Amino acid sequence: MSAVAADDEETWNAFRELVNMTPGDLEKWLGTDESRSAGQHKDGGESTGHASGRRIVELLRTRRADLTDDDYAHMRKVVGYINRHLAQRPSGDVTDTRWRHSLMNWGHDPLADA
């Protein structure tokens, strides 16, 4: 297996493990006010995480054989974001927090693992 193929395999596995929301659940979430208000907004527009969530829905619905290098690059970005954000978990109940809402925009509901 080439280094690129091995990297894509590792990316695929990490993405599938960390993105624990279905495309339908993620789409529903992205339609909520909580989703739209979470994350960093540039010039009052859509947040980075919200835009990423829309891309994640597309990725989840794409056959693995049809994924591009660009898709794998975004998947690596998603894996990195989720891992960094999980390491910053606040104490206490996170049910209705911006921390959880931001993670959910990136396709990961930390309470699904609870």
Side-chain angles (χ1 to χ4, degrees), residues 9-91:
E9 180 76 16
E10 187 177 310
T11 299
W12 169 264
N13 290 335
F15 180 82
R16 299 302 291 189
E17 180 180 327
L18 289 169
V19 175
N20 63 3
M21 295 173 74
T22 66
D25 287 343
L26 182 51
E27 269 184 329
K28 278 187 217 160
W29 164 250
L30 291 171
T32 67
D33 289 340
E34 293 89 346
S35 171
R36 284 189 286 277
S37 67
Q40 295 181 345
H41 296 75
K42 292 179 184 165
D43 303 324
E46 183 179 34
S47 74
T48 304
H50 197 272
S52 179
R54 289 186 299 101
R55 175 89 187 266
I56 292 165
V57 169
E58 291 173 19
L59 291 171
L60 291 171
R61 290 187 170 144
T62 301
R63 289 180 342 151
R64 186 174 179 186
D66 295 334
L67 293 171
T68 66
D69 289 345
D70 218 30
D71 293 333
Y72 279 104
H74 191 74
M75 291 164 75
R76 283 188 286 280
K77 182 177 178 179
V78 170
V79 167
Y81 179 85
I82 292 172
N83 280 325
R84 282 191 310 278
H85 211 62
L86 284 173
Q88 300 168 358
R89 184 183 183 110
S91 59

